[in-house]
Amino acid sequence: MADFGISAGQVVAVVWDTSSSVEALKDLVEKLQVLTGDEGRVSVENINQLLQSAHKESSFDIVLSGVVPGSTTLHSTETLAEMARILRPGGCLFLKEPVETALVNNSKVKTASKLCSALTLSGLVEVKELQREPLSPEEIQSVRDHLGHESDSLLSVQITGKKPNFEVGSSSQLKLSIAKKPSPSVKPAVDPAAAKLWTLSANDMEDDSMDLIDSDELLDPEDLKKPDPASLRAPSCGEGKKRKACKNCTCGLAEELEKEKSREQKSAQPKSACGNCYLGDAFRCASCPYLGMPAFKPGEQVLLSNSNLQDA
């Protein structure tokens, strides 16, 4: 039997199930009690009752599960999380479990990599596989009796994991050296050398060694030509049976349509039969639509109310 690194004075938990014999369990417990001595303690817990047990968190230095000869224990995610909970910070978990040599769909038996991942997700670190060996005759019979699984594709692996050196949910204050922000009213000091480097004085402008670029030389003759308004118009602007400007039109079509609309409104005004309507009521006919309105300039747009039109 491996000693699992157990020393005198440690508290050890042995998790077992009905797949192993009671005699093998008693023999293992007696050997462990010799290792822990009178100052230590060995507790035995059935895996089916572990979640209902009253063990306080951080109660054990070492947890052994599935290591009883002949055991074929399968560890669920909840069971692994509970084992991690009752371990003390820095404590170790040793477990043994039959695994598939290859991934099999709808199989409740995990692969070795899946089992290692489950241990990591339960909160353990430094998870590693210690041993891999074929199933013993007792384990083969136990797999058939308790799991109803053929043992041809199964191996037995022993894996260990360690609980981190801190308790779950513990907190610690971090000492951070944060520089104090200057007051908004205090302007930061300017390096004189840097300020001189980015300053262009009048003396520098008169210096012959300064090569200044004339901005007009950056323009080509083509840049100075006035563009054709048609070339500025968007391809889809004004297309279709009814000319309509785009939303937020910038090509000038909106202004052009607005002018056309103004001309149409002017042409739609009532025409004078005598030509004296704009002079005032003294020169208007009895049936003039502008009767009662002040004089206006020729061509000026005049809006007639509904009452005027009805009276007319």
Side-chain angles (χ1 to χ4, degrees):
M1 183 201 74
D3 57 10
F4 302 107
I6 299 173
S7 58
Q10 288 188 322
V11 182
V12 180
V14 178
V15 182
W16 66 285
D17 71 337
T18 56
S19 62
S20 57
S21 64
V22 178
E23 291 76 12
L25 175 63
K26 289 181 178 179
D27 182 59
L28 175 63
V29 171
E30 290 175 358
K31 293 178 180 178
L32 293 175
Q33 288 175 338
V34 173
L35 296 175
T36 57
D38 296 335
E39 298 179 357
R41 187 176 83 252
V42 178
S43 299
V44 179
E45 187 68 64
N46 187 283
I47 193 170
N48 296 322
Q49 301 298 323
L50 181 62
L51 297 177
Q52 287 77 36
S53 65
H55 296 298
K56 297 181 179 179
E57 60 183 34
S58 305
S59 302
F60 298 95
D61 298 297
I62 294 177
V63 175
L64 306 177
S65 181
V67 299
V68 180
S71 175
T72 56
T73 302
L74 297 180
H75 300 83
S76 65
T77 303
E78 294 78 8
T79 302
L80 294 176
E82 178 64 15
M83 293 179 182
R85 187 188 70 85
I86 63 177
L87 268 176
R88 291 174 179 171
C92 292
L93 167 66
F94 294 89
L95 64 82
K96 193 175 181 182
E97 181 174 329
V99 296
E100 294 278 6
T101 55
L103 185 62
V104 179
N105 294 331
N106 301 325
S107 176
K108 57 184 177 180
V109 181
K110 308 179 188 69
T111 61
S113 60
K114 290 283 187 181
L115 183 56
C116 290
S117 299
L119 282 170
T120 302
L121 292 175
S122 67
L124 301 182
V125 297
E126 300 180 20
V127 177
K128 57 184 176 180
E129 183 179 329
L130 298 178
Q131 188 177 3
R132 180 180 295 206
E133 59 186 6
L135 298 179
S136 64
E138 296 85 357
E139 292 171 341
I140 293 175
Q141 187 62 37
S142 179
V143 166
R144 291 173 179 172
D145 294 342
H146 296 88
L147 302 181
H149 195 291
E150 292 297 329
S151 59
D152 298 338
S153 61
L154 299 183
L155 290 175
S156 178
V157 296
Q158 184 174 315
I159 299 176
T160 182
K162 183 178 179 182
K163 188 172 183 176
N165 290 320
F166 54 84
E167 190 53 76
V168 176
S170 60
S171 60
S172 177
Q173 185 176 2
L174 299 178
K175 295 181 180 180
L176 302 176
S177 56
I178 302 176
K180 187 177 181 181
K181 294 183 178 180
S183 175
S185 60
V186 179
K187 295 183 179 180
V190 180
D191 185 6
K196 184 178 180 181
L197 181 63
W198 293 99
T199 302
L200 190 63
S201 65
N203 295 331
D204 295 328
M205 298 290 290
E206 297 176 358
D207 191 354
D208 295 336
S209 62
M210 294 293 295
D211 187 13
L212 300 179
I213 299 176
D214 185 2
S215 59
D216 293 336
E217 295 180 357
L218 300 176
L219 298 175
D220 296 332
E222 293 292 331
D223 299 329
L224 301 176
K225 291 182 179 180
K226 185 177 180 179
D228 183 10
S231 64
L232 302 177
R233 185 168 298 176
S236 60
C237 192
E239 290 184 352
K241 295 181 179 179
K242 185 177 179 181
R243 299 178 66 197
K244 186 177 180 181
C246 308
K247 186 179 180 180
N248 301 326
C249 178
T250 59
C251 67
L253 180 60
E255 290 82 357
E256 181 181 341
L257 295 177
E258 188 66 27
K259 291 179 180 179
E260 292 180 0
K261 184 177 180 181
S262 299
R263 288 195 295 267
E264 291 176 358
Q265 288 177 348
K266 288 182 180 180
S267 61
Q269 291 183 12
K271 293 184 179 180
S272 173
C274 61
N276 298 326
C277 298
Y278 69 94
L279 295 175
D281 285 349
F283 300 92
R284 292 171 181 163
C285 305
S287 61
C288 181
Y290 297 104
L291 194 64
M293 298 183 66
F296 55 87
K297 296 179 182 180
E300 182 180 359
Q301 182 179 1
V302 178
L303 299 178
L304 300 175
S305 64
N306 292 332
S307 61
N308 290 342
L309 294 175
Q310 290 173 358
D311 295 341

